[in-house]
Amino acid sequence: MKILITGTAGFIGSHLAETLIKRGDEVVGLDIINDYYDVNLKYARLKKSGIEKEKIQDNKLVNSYLHKNYKFIKVDLQNKEVLSELFKNEQFDAVCNLAAQAGVRYSLSNPDAYIQSNIIGFINILEACRYNKIKHLVYASSSSVYGLNEKMPLSTHHNVDHPISLYAASKKSNELMAHTYSQLFNLPTTGLRFFTVYGPWGRPDMALFLFTKAILNNEPIDVYNHGKMIRDFTYIDDIVEGIVRVIKNPPKGNPQWSGKQPEPSSSIAPYKIYNIGNNNPVKLMDFIAAIEKKLGKTAKKNMMPIQQGDVPATFADVDDLVKDMGYKPNTPIEEGIDNFIEWYLDYYNISF
């Protein structure tokens, strides 16, 4: 297949691009490379796939020096003209949209970034898919859409109309927008609600990265909700495997769907929503203990109240993923944390 992946300088996008390239797919990566976090890490991810920083120019395709089936373009999803030309020239079979302004807490202080990237950027992707007969659009949603929902495990069959952050609202809006295009234009779309992704090459604003850095530097870590948080931490390789399986299986519409009892995760249109989570929630204090064990150091802990926009617990129901794709994430948290820390020490050239 020929696949466009947006967000390939990002955590999930870089891993997905490498996996698809090695499987033999033809991949075009796209990213704006903004400065939400350290751009050097983003360029390092690209370099791992053979894209050299020195060769990158705005709105120009760059060939990988490692993989003949990989090209990259630095462009803003708000640039409709360049996006339209890219789709027209490349004739993609499928699109995986992972580009977005990430982060729950950042959305409290910078709401405009989420509207520009997650709403306007996404409508431009939808329009490009519509006019270029894309066979399948897969896009990143988020477990944050569950908001005030407390019934566990969190299921795609449940209503999600009570988000508690603009980030979550923007992801829910992506699902609604995608359904509209599936219904109106017969565009197959699949939304993936990711649950707390972690692993090597992860984001510096996420807990595992922050905790590892602070513990190594003998600095205290902020432990929110006084440690009474539960997260369905999902290892990056499990996320990527789920995405790959979904890309190759576009939805066809649910013939059993009824407008009298509308089921939220599917439709008569070619539209589907899946959770991708480990289906095995971990207490935050146990997560910290696994980091401490690997590092051989005890963290200094600042016990803090829960932050606005955060939910106290996540736990993914992945029954549909298992049923439809024959796949269930299964990497143990200890293994995933060990792999991250070994990468972190190597990347930052740290010995202790």
Side-chain angles (χ1 to χ4, degrees):
M1 298 177 72
K2 188 169 189 179
I3 303 170
L4 172 68
I5 305 172
T6 71
T8 48
F11 175 29
I12 301 174
S14 61
H15 280 273
L16 177 62
E18 259 192 277
T19 297
L20 289 174
I21 292 162
K22 288 173 182 175
R23 287 170 66 100
D25 292 301
E26 189 176 351
V27 175
V28 174
L30 180 157
D31 206 293
I32 186 56
I33 318 180
N34 68 20
D35 61 358
Y36 171 61
Y37 59 82
D38 182 15
V39 295
N40 293 316
L41 178 58
K42 296 183 179 185
Y43 282 117
R45 291 182 186 132
L46 290 171
K47 187 175 181 180
K48 191 159 58 84
S49 296
I51 303 296
E52 297 173 288
K53 177 181 178 181
E54 296 73 24
K55 300 240 178 114
I56 295 173
Q57 300 179 48
D58 288 354
N59 309 325
K60 302 288 185 184
L61 279 168
V62 179
N63 292 313
S64 165
Y65 67 83
L66 287 177
H67 306 285
K68 66 180 187 303
N69 54 335
Y70 183 46
K71 293 184 282 191
F72 174 80
I73 184 168
K74 182 186 177 188
V75 63
D76 194 328
L77 288 184
Q78 294 174 63
N79 191 330
K80 292 176 70 173
E81 185 179 341
V82 173
L83 208 59
S84 176
E85 194 70 17
L86 179 69
F87 271 74
K88 180 181 174 183
N89 291 340
E90 296 296 326
Q91 293 293 297
F92 303 111
D93 296 306
V95 174
C96 185
N97 184 56
L98 300 174
Q101 178 56 60
V104 168
R105 292 165 193 161
Y106 188 69
S107 69
L108 302 178
S109 56
N110 294 275
D112 287 354
Y114 293 79
I115 302 302
Q116 297 299 320
S117 180
N118 300 5
I119 306 296
I120 295 174
F122 190 64
I123 192 63
N124 289 343
I125 286 287
L126 285 168
E127 282 285 278
C129 289
R130 168 193 174 186
Y131 286 109
N132 290 276
K133 307 300 180 188
I134 299 301
K135 298 181 182 73
H136 193 191
L137 168 62
V138 178
Y139 60 95
S141 185
S142 167
S143 62
S144 67
V145 301
Y146 289 103
L148 294 177
N149 289 30
E150 293 183 4
K151 185 178 179 181
M152 299 289 170
L154 298 167
S155 170
T156 58
H157 302 287
H158 297 163
N159 175 283
V160 287
D161 284 343
H162 300 90
I164 57 172
S165 69
L166 186 64
Y167 171 69
S170 73
K171 289 299 186 179
K172 170 62 177 173
S173 75
N174 286 174
E175 297 178 3
L176 296 172
M177 293 159 73
H179 181 268
T180 303
Y181 274 66
S182 293
Q183 175 66 27
L184 289 176
F185 310 116
N186 201 37
L187 171 66
T189 67
T190 303
L192 303 177
R193 294 175 181 169
F194 299 141
F195 281 69
T196 316
V197 190
Y198 75 102
W201 298 94
R203 283 186 6 228
D205 61 324
M206 297 192 75
L208 180 53
F209 208 112
L210 292 169
F211 290 170
T212 299
K213 180 180 180 181
I215 293 169
L216 285 170
N217 291 335
N218 297 310
E219 296 170 350
I221 62 174
D222 291 335
V223 182
Y224 292 104
N225 201 29
H226 304 284
K228 297 173 184 175
M229 304 279 269
I230 298 172
R231 286 288 181 271
D232 205 346
F233 294 100
T234 312
Y235 189 61
I236 182 61
D237 290 359
D238 292 342
I239 290 285
V240 168
E241 179 63 24
I243 298 171
V244 169
R245 293 190 184 217
V246 167
I247 288 174
K248 314 244 175 184
N249 289 278
K252 295 177 174 62
N254 178 4
Q256 308 302 320
W257 193 89
S258 169
K260 293 180 180 177
Q261 290 183 309
E263 194 281 308
S265 73
S266 65
S267 172
I268 54 171
Y271 168 87
K272 185 64 181 171
I273 301 289
Y274 292 105
N275 285 335
I276 303 187
N278 209 45
N279 190 234
N280 185 25
V282 174
K283 294 177 181 177
L284 179 58
M285 297 308 291
D286 291 341
F287 183 72
I288 294 169
I291 302 171
E292 292 173 323
K293 181 180 177 182
K294 177 64 176 175
L295 292 175
K297 300 181 73 172
T298 301
K300 302 171 185 175
K301 303 173 184 74
N302 287 333
M303 308 308 280
M304 311 273 285
I306 195 167
Q307 285 206 320
Q308 276 189 308
D310 273 353
V311 295
T314 62
F315 176 9
D317 180 331
V318 294
D319 286 352
D320 281 1
L321 190 70
V322 173
K323 176 168 66 75
D324 295 348
M325 303 297 155
Y327 179 67
K328 182 179 182 292
N330 57 18
T331 302
I333 194 74
E334 296 80 8
E335 180 184 331
I337 286 174
D338 285 1
N339 290 345
F340 169 81
I341 290 174
E342 287 169 13
W343 166 80
Y344 184 94
L345 296 174
D346 179 65
Y347 180 75
Y348 289 104
N349 196 24
I350 297 170
S351 56
F352 69 101

